[in-house]
Amino acid sequence: MPEIPETIEEAGVWLRSGRVTAAVLVEAFLARIEATQTSVAAFITVTADSARSAATRLDDELRRDLDRGPLHGIPIGIKDLLATEDAPTTANSRVLDPAWGDRPDATVVHRLRAAGAIPLGKLAMHEFGNGWPDPATGFAIARNPWDLGRTPGGSSTGVAAAVAAGLVLGGVGSDTGGSIRGPAHCCGITGIKPTRGRVSLEGCVPLSPSLDTIGPMARTSYDCAVLLQAMAGPDPLDPSSSTVPVPEMASTLDRPLEGLRVGVPVRAFYDAPDLDAEVRRAVEVAVATIGEAGATLVDIDLPHVEEATAAVTVILRSEAYAYHERDLRARFSAFGRICGGQMLMGAFYSGPDLLLARRTQSAITSIWHRTMSGVDAAVVPALPTVAPAFEGYDLDSTVGSSPRMGVFNLTGLPTLAVPCGMSTAGLPIGMQIVANPFDEPTAFRVGAAFQRQTDWHLRRSPIMEGWQHA
Amino acid sequence: MSDTKRPTARAVVDAVLARERIEVDEEIRDRLARQLPAMDAFRQSLRVPIPLPDPERDPGS
């Protein structure tokens, strides 16, 4: 196999120097995908023909000095809840009407293609972005490239697994309660849940429309910044998309952290009893590294996490139930056992429960936004443990949203997940860098500064390491 | 309501699913019944209004 770049930034240099072509990249990644479909199983559908055609066209453009920017010729993957004109959309479910995906590209996919990115296919996920890997859905289950006996995290399982296995250079996930950041944590990659409204939801199968957020996943802060740059912006097809101007996402990545105030909410996010000591230690060391890089560390309080977790759970379950109510009633058996059971929880919350959840959301959002306005960013752990094993997982525990992640969907704050350590068992650990509304560049800046000081984001999974010797 | 008169979690699950006219098997009904206390805890934690700090009267809040 030819030598292949490992980041979007590196690939951009190689493509422009003529060291590699988009066609070579596409063929190499397609071969890796085929070689791992029975192990990592990241893809539901591979769109080889359209990827090859796009690569030929984009190589020809580069030869004629027509350069679309940093994503020109970059192979990516798309979570299989976004519509693509060259493949069906399943949301990993037998329930979704196949006709749903018989349409043009989702806005975000359209924008990425226009920026020169080359989708290689549709990536595995939890059914409708909900629950836990479930063989009853009939789809292959993506596995963690660091340990095939463990989940890549959910629900953007395939994107995280594909990036960590070196099957794509980046991808598009969605995050309703941690579905980008949890998989990033589990697979040792970078991913951002942007500010609510920053990215159009048009063409995305909804889970909880008021909490759903689409965002990029890749190896580095820079790579996520250039992906988000292409994806972001208002969309007349999505009334919930924001008209707040899109800044240059990568413009401040090289700046040092001097002058930045970074909050550390110890009481609510670090002292929680469920947080594994190894995870806490890794994030604490990362915070110290950010301080050594020049940021001023500040104690802050982001209170009411328990109530915020309740609110995001009630909203998510209620909205998901509203969307699927008819199918749950008419053909429950078509759902997977896990997703179907979780969707039913929405039936146990009432209209007043949802209104109280909205009241709580409003109050906590006000308090947290005020606290965050006093700092430039905050750093908190992501998941409380490393990636769980498939075997022995307690399904009864999947009642609520993850307490350290869904709260940022509730409050709309942009949150970047960045690898910050490894467990003694050799599994990745991530942290979250939270920024103020619509200030994703500061999250990327802190992430990039941390990634200049450390190499956690460049560690190779055993699957990726294997490509070096292939 | 005394504990002896409180409906069991499984009875609550059965009643809700009957109201919603959704047919599911015993395993899922039992799982929902086990999860019901956690769902109730979420519901209860939303009952108490969260006080908002007043920056005009307490600038340090």
Side-chain angles (χ1 to χ4, degrees), chain A residues 439-462:
Chain A
D439 190 17
E440 288 89 356
T442 294
F444 289 132
R445 177 181 171 188
V446 175
F450 180 74
Q451 291 182 334
R452 283 195 295 275
Q453 304 290 322
T454 62
D455 69 351
W456 302 114
H457 59 297
L458 298 177
R459 301 283 177 101
R460 297 189 183 107
S461 69

Side-chain angles (χ1 to χ4, degrees), chain A residues 341-379:
Chain A
Q342 292 197 339
M343 291 290 186
L344 288 179
M345 289 183 201
F348 292 80
Y349 296 118
S350 66
D353 291 334
L354 180 57
L355 290 175
L356 291 174
R358 292 293 187 199
R359 178 181 72 175
T360 300
Q361 178 184 29
S362 174
I364 293 175
T365 299
S366 171
I367 294 168
W368 284 27
H369 283 207
R370 180 155 183 251
T371 299
M372 286 297 297
S373 70
V375 295
D376 298 287
V379 176

Side-chain angles (χ1 to χ4, degrees), chain A residues 11 187 224:
Chain A
C187 290
C224 286

Side-chain angles (χ1 to χ4, degrees), chain A residues 116-190:
Chain A
I118 305 175
L120 298 184
K122 309 294 281 290
L123 289 157
M125 54 181 286
H126 293 174
E127 185 174 19
F128 287 117
N130 190 57
W132 177 255
D134 187 351
T137 65
F139 293 87
I141 291 174
R143 294 176 176 276
N144 192 319
W146 291 89
D147 177 346
L148 296 174
R150 293 175 185 269
T151 173
S155 67
S156 303
T157 56
V159 185
V163 172
L167 311 182
V168 289
L169 290 171
V172 184
S174 68
D175 189 317
T176 305
S179 285
I180 287 174
R181 295 160 287 153
H185 162 98
C186 290
C187 290
I189 68 166
T190 306

